[in-house]
Amino acid sequence: MQSESKKNILFQPTLNAMGAAFLRSRNEAREPLVSGEPPAARSCFERCRKRRRVHEAFGASASSTATADLVELPKWVVWVSVDPRSGHITPYPKEVSQTLELALQRGDATVSLGDRFFGATVELGAAPQQRTARGGRDVRRVALKTCDEAVTLWVRQGRYRWGAVDGVDPSNAQGLQERVVSMPEEAVDLSHLEERPRERPPPDHEEGMALWQWCQQLHVTPAQSERVQDCFWGIYNEQQNRQIEEAYQSGERQIEITVGVRQYQVVFGPPGFARQEDPRLRKRRLMRRQWLSPEHFQRRMTQDQPATTARDQEECILCLCDFADTAHMPVVELPECKHVFHRACAQQLVDARGRCPCCRSEVDWSFLG
């Protein structure tokens, strides 16, 4: 029997042959504990509860024959970044750490830190990164047993910048430097971490319709958006625009849309703005919401003319959508063979400097600037 003092201690036995067979037969090695719950939705606490359940299923026989490790569940967490020039670690403010922690539990791919952090975006994953228009830096999540526990991180100076190093054996840390700091005021209490629903936007007083636009210029922040001319704002079709607006009005944090062959995440915030993100290609653009009269809205949705092509090409060969039905989508015409595609659909070809998918001729993509 475990004592009361060990209720928060996680017992992790090394699986013996009987335990491994049990998991294979039940196929529980990677299945959620709650029926119908998607694996991506599990938090670290749910994974810990699963390991406790496996131990209970094995009973006393497993504990008597297996080597056990006692690991205390983390109760606090701190998010830090590594200064690329000095290698010093800097904690994020507590409210930012809470935002990052909640985004991680939701399974979000990226988190925007807003104008306060110069429009920086944190890409979550096995090795999180903070990125801005000027560069990037490593980000790490450090779990703590107590709020005043020291944060320890190993760093290394690379060719261009300092970065974090994970899984370091202190006895074999040649060329690495250890950073140890205490930051109790920035620690997040995981037991009191709650998801706050996004506030619904206030009602629009004038009769009209919302138009969502995406910025063709890169690295634009909401504070800079007023200086961007209208000609640099693209639009969505009516169905996509309605889908985005309904999600915005219902208070959702994000929504997925399809544009050509691309899958985007629309992440709302701050009020009146959103981000169009492609996690696979690591592209993102600012979006804004404009309130227009019904007449102005319809005029804006129909003012774009279908693309005219030298080959009388009627559809984008990549997404098989007619240019007549997608006049709102910018197109790109290859200078040599004159084949035409939606710019969004061709983005992966541009990044890979690939050949024309129609005639396989080489393309100098530098003409796009």
Side-chain angles (χ1 to χ4, degrees), residues 123-131 137-140 164 166 282:
E123 298 175 351
L124 301 176
Q129 292 278 319
Q130 174 184 298
R131 299 190 183 277
R137 60 173 61 194
D138 286 351
V139 174
R140 289 297 182 267
D166 302 318
R282 300 171 73 174

Side-chain angles (χ1 to χ4, degrees), residues 210-230:
L211 178 70
W212 284 92
Q213 301 171 295
W214 57 274
C215 187
Q216 299 178 13
Q217 296 183 354
L218 299 176
H219 313 305
V220 177
T221 65
Q224 300 167 340
S225 62
E226 293 183 357
R227 298 194 293 269
V228 179
Q229 300 180 18
D230 289 341

Side-chain angles (χ1 to χ4, degrees), residues 315-336:
E315 67 179 11
C316 171
I317 195 64
L318 298 175
C319 67
L320 302 181
C321 292
D322 291 342
F323 292 127
D325 298 331
T326 56
H328 61 285
M329 294 180 63
V331 299
V332 54
E333 184 179 64
L334 304 188
E336 299 296 332

Side-chain angles (χ1 to χ4, degrees), residues 5-25:
S5 62
K6 294 185 178 179
K7 282 188 176 179
N8 291 326
I9 301 297
L10 176 63
F11 187 85
Q12 295 178 302
T14 302
L15 301 183
N16 54 19
M18 179 189 70
F22 175 80
L23 287 179
R24 286 196 298 270
S25 64

Side-chain angles (χ1 to χ4, degrees), residues 16-70:
N16 54 19
M18 179 189 70
F22 175 80
L23 287 179
R24 286 196 298 270
S25 64
R26 293 287 302 275
N27 193 24
E28 289 185 355
R30 294 190 178 276
E31 292 297 325
L33 293 181
V34 181
S35 177
E37 180 184 13
R42 296 197 305 267
S43 67
C44 61
F45 297 105
E46 291 162 344
R47 291 195 295 270
C48 290
R49 286 197 295 268
K50 176 181 177 178
R51 288 192 289 267
R52 184 192 296 271
R53 178 181 175 183
V54 170
H55 166 60
E56 293 172 353
F58 292 154
S61 61
S63 61
S64 62
T65 60
T67 302
D69 295 324
L70 296 179

Side-chain angles (χ1 to χ4, degrees), residues 244-278:
I244 296 170
E245 178 63 14
E246 289 176 352
Y248 178 74
Q249 291 292 345
S250 63
E252 297 184 27
R253 292 189 177 273
Q254 65 182 46
I255 189 176
E256 292 189 357
I257 62 172
T258 301
V259 179
V261 297
R262 302 276 293 279
Q263 297 287 332
Y264 292 110
Q265 291 180 349
V266 174
V267 183
F268 298 107
F273 293 92
R275 301 184 313 278
Q276 174 186 280
E277 299 182 352
D278 184 342

Side-chain angles (χ1 to χ4, degrees), residues 25-253:
S25 64
R26 293 287 302 275
N27 193 24
E28 289 185 355
R30 294 190 178 276
E31 292 297 325
L33 293 181
V34 181
S35 177
E37 180 184 13
R42 296 197 305 267
S43 67
C44 61
F45 297 105
E46 291 162 344
R47 291 195 295 270
C48 290
R49 286 197 295 268
K50 176 181 177 178
R51 288 192 289 267
R52 184 192 296 271
R53 178 181 175 183
V54 170
H55 166 60
E56 293 172 353
F58 292 154
S61 61
S63 61
S64 62
T65 60
T67 302
D69 295 324
L70 296 179
V71 180
E72 188 172 352
L73 296 177
K75 299 178 181 179
W76 301 80
V77 70
V78 172
W79 285 79
V80 300
S81 66
V82 180
D83 189 311
R85 290 172 290 185
S86 66
H88 295 152
I89 60 176
T90 305
Y92 286 101
K94 187 173 183 178
E95 60 272 16
V96 175
S97 288
Q98 291 174 335
T99 300
L100 293 171
E101 187 67 21
L102 288 170
L104 180 68
Q105 294 186 14
R106 290 195 302 267
D108 295 349
T110 60
V111 178
S112 176
L113 302 185
D115 294 339
R116 180 180 175 185
F117 285 83
F118 307 99
T121 299
V122 175
E123 298 175 351
L124 301 176
Q129 292 278 319
Q130 174 184 298
R131 299 190 183 277
T132 65
R134 297 182 295 178
R137 60 173 61 194
D138 286 351
V139 174
R140 289 297 182 267
R141 173 187 184 271
V142 183
L144 307 174
K145 299 176 184 177
T146 62
C147 65
D148 55 357
E149 180 184 353
V151 174
T152 302
L153 198 67
W154 290 88
V155 297
R156 175 171 51 200
Q157 186 174 19
R159 183 176 181 182
Y160 300 106
R161 66 172 189 172
W162 287 83
V165 182
D166 302 318
V168 175
D169 180 1
S171 63
N172 186 24
Q174 186 176 3
L176 307 181
Q177 293 188 19
E178 185 181 24
R179 299 285 192 261
V180 181
V181 296
S182 181
M183 46 191 75
E185 65 278 1
E186 308 300 351
V188 176
D189 186 352
L190 294 177
S191 63
H192 292 85
L193 189 66
E194 296 182 358
E195 179 78 54
R196 295 182 179 180
R198 186 177 69 84
E199 295 183 0
R200 293 174 179 265
D204 297 286
H205 299 293
E206 300 179 3
E207 181 182 359
M209 304 181 71
L211 178 70
W212 284 92
Q213 301 171 295
W214 57 274
C215 187
Q216 299 178 13
Q217 296 183 354
L218 299 176
H219 313 305
V220 177
T221 65
Q224 300 167 340
S225 62
E226 293 183 357
R227 298 194 293 269
V228 179
Q229 300 180 18
D230 289 341
C231 61
F232 293 108
W233 291 93
I235 65 173
Y236 302 90
N237 63 31
E238 289 198 48
Q239 179 181 357
Q240 295 162 348
N241 190 83
R242 181 170 57 254
Q243 183 182 5
I244 296 170
E245 178 63 14
E246 289 176 352
Y248 178 74
Q249 291 292 345
S250 63
E252 297 184 27
R253 292 189 177 273

